[in-house]
Amino acid sequence: LIIKNERKAFRDNLKRIREHRGWEASQMADLLGIDMAEYLSLESRSNLPNTIQLIDFVKKLNVSLSDLIMSTK
């Protein structure tokens, strides 16, 4: 259950960060250095990036790890 909640939180937070910055999904994918299909999979399905990718995303987005994986509710 914890992993399921983290996956949903990650998906919701990734989309929230992108929308807050006014970016298209393609812009986010480019910034993160992944292809569009992979980005859309992260934002729409219950996939989590691997640990290395997650650390890279935190750096590139200039957010904390908790900003990406913790529920805002």
Side-chain angles (χ1 to χ4, degrees):
L1 183 62
I2 292 172
I3 296 298
K4 184 178 179 182
N5 290 341
E6 289 173 345
R7 286 178 180 158
K8 181 175 181 349
F10 173 78
R11 182 180 67 228
D12 293 347
N13 292 337
L14 192 65
K15 186 174 183 176
R16 179 184 48 78
I17 290 167
R18 177 180 64 77
E19 290 176 345
H20 178 76
R21 295 178 182 190
W23 295 346
E24 297 292 327
S26 60
Q27 292 172 292
M28 190 76 143
D30 287 345
L31 174 75
L32 298 177
I34 58 177
D35 65 39
M36 183 68 165
E38 183 178 358
Y39 178 77
L40 291 176
S41 175
L42 290 172
E43 192 175 282
S44 65
R45 295 198 323 229
S46 295
N47 295 343
L48 281 173
N50 66 45
T51 304
I52 300 300
Q53 282 180 310
L54 196 54
I55 292 168
D56 190 44
F57 292 178
V58 164
K59 290 177 183 177
K60 288 177 176 177
L61 293 169
N62 195 29
V63 297
S64 70
L65 182 58
S66 62
D67 288 337
L68 279 179
I69 64 170
M70 301 300 292
S71 176
T72 58
K73 295 179 182 180

